[in-house]
Amino acid sequence: MKKSAIFLSLALANSAYAVETPSFLDNNDIKDAEFKCLGEVPNYSKADQKYVDILWDETLTYLKAYAQALTNGEESNCINSDEALFDSTEGKKMCIMDRRDMKIMVKNIYQVINNPEKAKQCFGARRDVSWIYSPGGELEKNSPVAQWAKRTSFEEFFNTKVTNKEVRKIGQKFTKNFAKMVTGDEVKMPSSFPYDVSANALPNLWAAAGWFPMYGEESKRNDKNFNNIRGGYAYAEVFGHWGLLRIDEINGEKVGAEVGMTVQAVDTLYPYHNHAISEIYYNMRKPACANQFKSFAVREDSPLVKTVKEDNKMRRVQFDASQANEASMWKAGSAEQDPLLYFHQNTIHAFDVDGSCEAKPEERAIVSVWARSNAHDKRNDYGTTLLCESAKKPGTPANRGEVIQCDLTKVKW
């Protein structure tokens, strides 16, 4: 099989990265691209700028590897594309670059990495944002950028922002072990990546990107969540509307990409949920045992999904997770096996992570490169995550082994 159309140069000269683009992109859209930033970009002193520059260089390194992985056909049966699982109930896969939203997202990344000085005008450390946090601990200790950023710590977040005592306790344990979860030999890149972009290789980005334990605080939505996820999950956004690199438009076209990373502690079920924005994950963990990391995904038009209520804004559906063959509808994945997942808009999905085979489960998590592709479309609720619920007991978490109920957005185009 011919090598992928993209070849990555790791040489860094004056912060400019020379990258050949995939053949399906128009170089006229890449060369001399024009950027419109989202929000105000701060001015930094010379002393501060050196830390911003470190964070920027690691951001470019992260984005380059991600774009190459997505368009790497060597590891799949695809041309200039990696292969992704999109429906676990039938084991359906596709060439991810067949999706128009993926092509646009990759184009946006190439526009950034081939015009780094222009794109950098939209980049900031986001030190003024009060709702993103530092994991603290060893990650911060080993990162001069994180120490400079002086974000509020996870420890303070769980001690002051979280009122549920069980969630707070779980969050404190998550905080204590976060650095061990995202570093070490257990963290491994999928083979489609040209090099390591984990916290092992990019310590400043992972320590200083700004993390959000998005389920920790009390909310009506979190009544339908599990306490161990509320205290044991966080994500960071590198490129996107809430991230470090905030671009509104490139060449006059809106940018919908949101790219970052997620961490989910083991011994947890990330509940069945859905959103109107497409989403992808790359698994970055070697499993401690077979079938440790299992994913569920069912499309909204599947015959397994039954409509029970509908209006002009949403469709309430149910899925029977108590049926005899339910276990076979979950598919195992890891950095070494089917690492890439793609969820179309309104796909109902969940992640079940086993910790029973871990020697020290409190120190382990599933770590992922994460992205959403069309989050700029505000007609579709900007990608808000909607948690499903128990059909028998609405307002409570939906467990495996029962009928689950989800509200799907009437997506507008």
Side-chain angles (χ1 to χ4, degrees):
M1 182 179 294
K2 291 184 178 181
K3 289 188 175 182
S4 170
I6 59 176
F7 297 89
L8 197 59
S9 171
L10 297 180
L12 176 63
N14 298 322
S15 298
Y17 287 67
V19 183
E20 186 174 336
T21 57
S23 60
F24 59 78
L25 293 180
D26 184 348
N27 279 318
N28 291 323
D29 282 345
I30 306 298
K31 184 180 179 181
D32 297 326
E34 295 297 329
F35 298 80
K36 178 183 176 183
C37 301
L38 185 64
E40 295 184 8
V41 179
N43 292 316
Y44 295 100
S45 68
K46 186 175 181 180
D48 288 342
Q49 189 65 49
K50 68 178 182 180
Y51 297 108
V52 177
D53 289 346
I54 294 170
L55 198 57
W56 173 239
D57 287 343
E58 292 198 10
T59 293
L60 288 180
T61 301
Y62 192 82
L63 293 175
K64 284 174 64 177
Y66 186 50
Q68 182 169 9
L70 288 170
T71 55
N72 185 352
E74 295 180 14
E75 305 299 329
S76 68
N77 295 314
C78 306
I79 299 175
N80 290 339
S81 176
D82 205 354
E83 189 173 55
L85 177 73
F86 69 90
D87 188 329
S88 68
T89 64
E90 298 184 29
K92 290 183 177 179
K93 299 180 183 180
M94 67 177 181
C95 299
I96 196 166
M97 298 313 299
D98 285 350
R99 293 286 296 171
R100 175 67 174 158
D101 60 314
M102 288 290 98
K103 287 186 172 75
I104 294 173
M105 188 179 82
V106 165
K107 180 176 75 171
N108 290 159
I109 294 175
Y110 275 96
Q111 288 167 324
V112 167
I113 61 181
N114 281 283
N115 300 275
E117 293 307 314
K118 288 183 179 180
K120 191 177 181 180
Q121 303 307 308
C122 300
F123 184 82
R126 305 277 277 161
R127 299 168 77 195
D128 58 331
V129 180
S130 62
W131 54 268
I132 56 176
Y133 302 87
S134 167
E138 289 297 311
L139 278 189
E140 185 170 313
K141 182 179 178 181
N142 294 327
S143 168
V145 178
Q147 293 170 38
W148 163 79
K150 295 180 179 177
R151 301 195 197 283
T152 303
S153 67
F154 272 7
E155 182 178 13
E156 185 174 344
F157 169 82
F158 284 109
N159 284 335
T160 62
K161 298 281 189 179
V162 178
T163 56
N164 183 298
K165 291 182 179 179
E166 183 181 2
V167 174
R168 182 184 300 169
K169 184 177 179 180
I170 294 168
Q172 290 168 342
K173 183 172 70 172
F174 183 66
T175 299
K176 179 182 178 181
N177 293 290
F178 192 87
K180 293 178 180 177
M181 291 176 173
V182 300
T183 59
D185 294 339
E186 292 81 10
V187 178
K188 180 182 179 182
M189 301 308 303
S191 58
S192 58
F193 278 74
Y195 52 81
D196 190 357
V197 296
S198 75
N200 292 325
L202 303 177
N204 291 290
L205 182 62
W206 284 74
W211 290 82
F212 184 37
M214 63 181 290
Y215 296 117
E217 297 178 72
E218 295 299 320
S219 69
K220 185 176 181 180
R221 177 181 68 173
N222 275 332
D223 290 342
K224 297 186 284 188
N225 208 340
F226 303 105
N227 285 344
N228 58 8
I229 282 290
R230 291 186 57 195
Y233 178 86
Y235 88 100
E237 189 165 308
V238 176
F239 175 20
H241 302 88
W242 312 108
L244 305 174
L245 178 59
R246 304 177 70 225
I247 301 172
D248 184 28
E249 296 179 0
I250 302 179
N251 293 340
E253 297 180 353
K254 291 291 185 181
V255 174
E258 292 184 337
V259 182
M261 52 279 269
T262 66
V263 178
Q264 177 185 338
V266 303
D267 275 330
T268 57
L269 171 64
Y270 191 125
Y272 298 94
H273 64 288
N274 54 274
H275 32 73
I277 303 302
S278 302
E279 186 174 59
I280 55 177
Y281 288 86
Y282 264 116
N283 191 321
M284 296 167 56
R285 258 296 306 274
K286 291 192 296 186
C289 56
N291 302 321
Q292 184 181 13
F293 309 125
K294 297 184 290 293
S295 300
F296 174 88
V298 62
R299 297 284 308 274
E300 64 173 325
D301 58 356
S302 168
L304 299 172
V305 175
K306 309 297 182 184
T307 301
V308 296
K309 181 182 177 181
E310 191 168 8
D311 59 30
N312 62 347
K313 291 186 177 181
M314 71 88 182
R315 179 168 67 103
R316 181 164 294 165
V317 300
Q318 292 182 352
F319 168 79
D320 186 1
S322 67
Q323 53 194 291
N325 63 337
E326 184 268 349
S328 67
M329 296 181 185
W330 291 73
K331 300 301 179 187
S334 69
E336 301 168 330
Q337 173 191 348
D338 294 329
L340 181 58
L341 303 171
Y342 178 92
F343 303 127
H344 297 76
Q345 61 279 357
N346 279 336
T347 291
I348 300 168
H349 52 291
F351 308 108
D352 196 356
V353 185
D354 183 11
S356 64
C357 55
E358 298 278 10
K360 296 181 178 180
E362 69 279 2
E363 297 180 359
R364 298 291 176 255
I366 184 171
V367 184
S368 303
V369 178
W370 159 91
R372 288 182 176 178
S373 57
N374 46 1
H376 63 292
D377 197 335
K378 297 180 181 180
R379 295 171 300 179
N380 295 318
D381 202 18
Y382 214 58
T384 298
T385 299
L386 304 174
L387 300 184
C388 302
E389 61 188 2
S390 166
K392 188 175 182 180
K393 297 180 180 180
T396 65
N399 286 285
R400 294 183 63 176
E402 66 172 326
V403 177
I404 67 170
Q405 184 165 278
C406 315
D407 287 348
L408 307 183
T409 303
K410 288 286 187 71
V411 177
K412 306 297 182 184
W413 297 93

